[in-house]
Amino acid sequence: MELKRVVVTGLGAITPLGNDVPSFWNGLINGVSGAARITKFDPTNFKTQFACEVKGFDVSQFLERRDSRKMDLFAQYAIACSDEAIADAGLDGENPPLDQDRVGVIWGSGIGGFQTFMNEALNFHENGGIPRFSPFFIPMMISDIAAGHISIRHGFRGPNFCTVSACASGTNAMIDAFNYIRLGKAEIMVTGGSEAAVTEGGIGGFNALKALSTRNDDPARASRPFDATRDGFVLGEGGGAIIFEEHEHAVARGAKIYCEVAGGGMSADAHHITAPHPEGLGALNVMRATLDDAEMSPSDVDYVNVHGTSTPLGDIAETRAIQGVFGDHAYNLNISSTKSMTGHLLGAAGAIEGIACILAIKNGIIPPTINFEHADEGLDSKLDFTFNHAKKRDVRAALCNTFGFGGHNASVLFKKFKG
């Protein structure tokens, strides 16, 4: 069968750099750090006392109080950014009418209702073991509920589920959404991911793994991918929503088109539960699979938004994989890690980094990797990591990489739209 083309027609974002897409993009291209001391709880006793929190989020702008109290924060973020994307795509009106049975939601979250789970467990303990759980505990906690809320809110009756693959969750959601449309199973998909893991358990758990930066005296400069002094990632939170749409459907309704979705790939490291394959084997395989799926060559790509978490092992492994896939063309690429500004949004990372790729194509600007000061002898200095300042460049295609604990790898490729 002939596969259908898929385009992007709407974007929405709730991020540590701003609570809509223009604010997010402005923060990225201006090299703004979203990291600061944690305000959601007292972090004094924690090894890491900072994170990239969402600032000034007012759920009452999106939900009635009685409804928001029945949702964990990760689901509230999902509602907020999906509302923006749906409006941006012009899908919030009745003209032209949509076939609601052909509009679906595939959403990613690595953890789901983390704060809800912690609150209920603590309440159970404080009540002396007497089970007085909230009747909304389970539906607030489960990761799939965000996709459910979006579909209920807008009446979308097409394919609806959640992807859970740690930090690759949002990208896996996009790949599934892409495939459902190109196989003719849906015409429009709301896809992306959200996460709200800046909690005592989130910080404490990642501290126990020694995964987080402990640069408490200088949070804004703590996320420093590819810098020799990097000491771990910075936890972030928020969500990103992208509207994927079948090409002919988008054209017929006169939708604005940001770019085309070219391909997606998945692989496994099959190596370790938290550490990447030292030679970047899984990362190499997933990028090759994505290019193969898109029927594109390495030389067609101009920008790679890397997983780039600012961990000593991960940054080197991914760079080796890029050189293995792109060969000499690697020196013609712009590479950047927007996690240097947003922190690591876990299951939502792929969604907001996908938006960064889409806007890089649309605007001809590469967001930077900020906080670089010290060269790492383990990295090829001839590669262009877009250090510290954004760069103007015509971007024909942009690749977004996300890798998750458990060895899950997922990449998605966007390209300029040509009618």
Side-chain angles (χ1 to χ4, degrees):
M1 64 177 290
E2 183 179 353
L3 296 176
K4 297 181 181 294
R5 294 172 67 187
V6 181
V7 296
V8 173
T9 57
L11 303 174
I14 297 288
T15 79
L17 303 184
N19 296 342
D20 53 37
V21 169
S23 300
F24 169 54
W25 179 244
N26 185 64
L28 286 184
I29 62 174
N30 285 290
V32 176
S33 171
R37 184 175 174 84
I38 292 168
T39 63
K40 292 181 180 297
F41 61 90
D42 181 0
T44 301
N45 294 326
F46 290 78
K47 293 178 181 178
T48 295
Q49 299 173 9
F50 59 93
C52 286
E53 295 177 318
V54 168
K55 290 96 175 164
F57 178 69
D58 181 1
V59 70
S60 68
Q61 294 181 0
F62 307 95
L63 294 162
E64 296 291 337
R65 178 174 171 80
R66 65 178 181 274
D67 295 324
S68 66
R69 293 180 65 185
K70 301 173 187 176
M71 293 184 193
D72 187 88
L73 186 58
F74 94 101
Q76 295 177 13
Y77 289 158
I79 288 292
C81 64
S82 62
D83 274 7
E84 182 186 9
I86 289 164
D88 185 42
L91 301 175
D92 56 342
E94 297 181 358
N95 188 24
L98 296 175
D99 181 351
Q100 304 287 73
D101 294 338
R102 301 278 290 165
V103 184
V105 183
I106 303 178
W107 202 257
S109 185
I111 300 177
F114 202 166
Q115 188 66 62
T116 294
F117 181 85
M118 283 191 56
N119 290 345
E120 293 296 317
L122 289 170
N123 287 341
F124 177 67
H125 174 73
E126 291 170 0
N127 289 333
I130 298 173
R132 293 174 179 165
F133 293 96
S134 165
F136 300 105
F137 173 30
I138 299 302
M140 288 175 68
M141 177 192 71
I142 51 180
S143 298
D144 72 294
I145 203 68
H149 278 305
I150 295 167
S151 69
I152 292 166
R153 183 174 179 84
H154 298 281
F156 298 153
R157 296 188 295 268
N160 186 282
F161 61 89
C162 173
T163 55
V164 180
S165 49
C167 306
S169 300
T171 304
N172 277 128
M174 287 190 282
I175 293 169
D176 281 357
F178 172 54
N179 285 329
Y180 271 80
I181 294 174
R182 67 175 175 171
L183 290 171
K185 306 294 185 183
E187 291 172 337
I188 299 172
M189 297 296 298
V190 182
T191 190
S194 58
E195 207 79 88
V198 181
T199 65
E200 294 92 334
I203 296 294
F206 283 117
N207 270 159
L209 282 171
K210 299 182 178 179
L212 296 181
S213 170
T214 56
R215 195 181 286 260
N216 293 315
D217 59 339
D218 194 9
R221 296 162 64 83
S223 185
R224 44 183 51 226
F226 310 115
D227 187 280
T229 62
R230 63 191 182 277
D231 69 330
F233 74 83
V234 177
L235 188 59
E237 62 170 358
I242 306 176
I243 306 300
F244 284 5
E245 187 165 354
E246 193 273 323
H247 164 242
E248 292 183 2
H249 187 274
V251 171
R253 71 180 186 88
K256 73 170 179 291
I257 295 175
Y258 284 94
C259 67
E260 185 167 354
V261 189
M266 295 170 281
S267 75
D269 279 0
H271 171 68
H272 190 272
I273 58 171
T274 57
H277 189 283
E279 299 301 319
L281 181 60
L284 183 147
N285 287 342
V286 77
M287 286 187 276
R288 284 182 174 165
T290 303
L291 288 167
D292 287 346
D293 188 52
E295 298 182 345
M296 293 172 66
S297 68
S299 61
D300 294 325
V301 178
D302 293 315
Y303 172 46
V304 180
N305 186 297
V306 292
H307 188 59
T309 58
S310 188
T311 58
L313 295 177
D315 292 358
I316 289 177
E318 186 172 9
T319 303
R320 288 174 177 167
I322 289 171
Q323 291 182 289
V325 171
F326 289 93
D328 289 341
H329 182 63
Y331 300 108
N332 299 321
L333 293 169
N334 272 95
I335 299 165
S336 75
S337 172
T338 47
K339 288 185 180 73
S340 59
M341 295 171 277
T342 65
H344 190 355
L345 271 68
L346 306 180
I352 66 164
E353 288 157 17
I355 293 171
C357 287
I358 292 163
L359 293 177
I361 292 170
K362 179 180 182 291
N363 297 314
I365 303 175
I366 307 293
T369 305
I370 68 168
N371 295 330
F372 177 76
E373 295 177 305
H374 309 93
D376 186 331
E377 294 181 358
L379 298 172
D380 190 335
S381 61
K382 296 179 182 178
L383 294 171
D384 188 348
F385 292 101
T386 323
F387 284 133
N388 296 327
H389 301 285
K391 290 187 178 180
K392 291 185 177 180
R393 174 177 183 166
D394 181 57
V395 181
R396 298 167 297 160
L399 179 69
C400 178
N401 286 341
T402 50
F403 313 139
F405 281 179
H408 312 296
N409 306 304
S411 299
V412 64
L413 184 62
F414 302 95
K415 67 180 181 180
K416 274 192 174 181
F417 172 70
K418 297 179 181 179

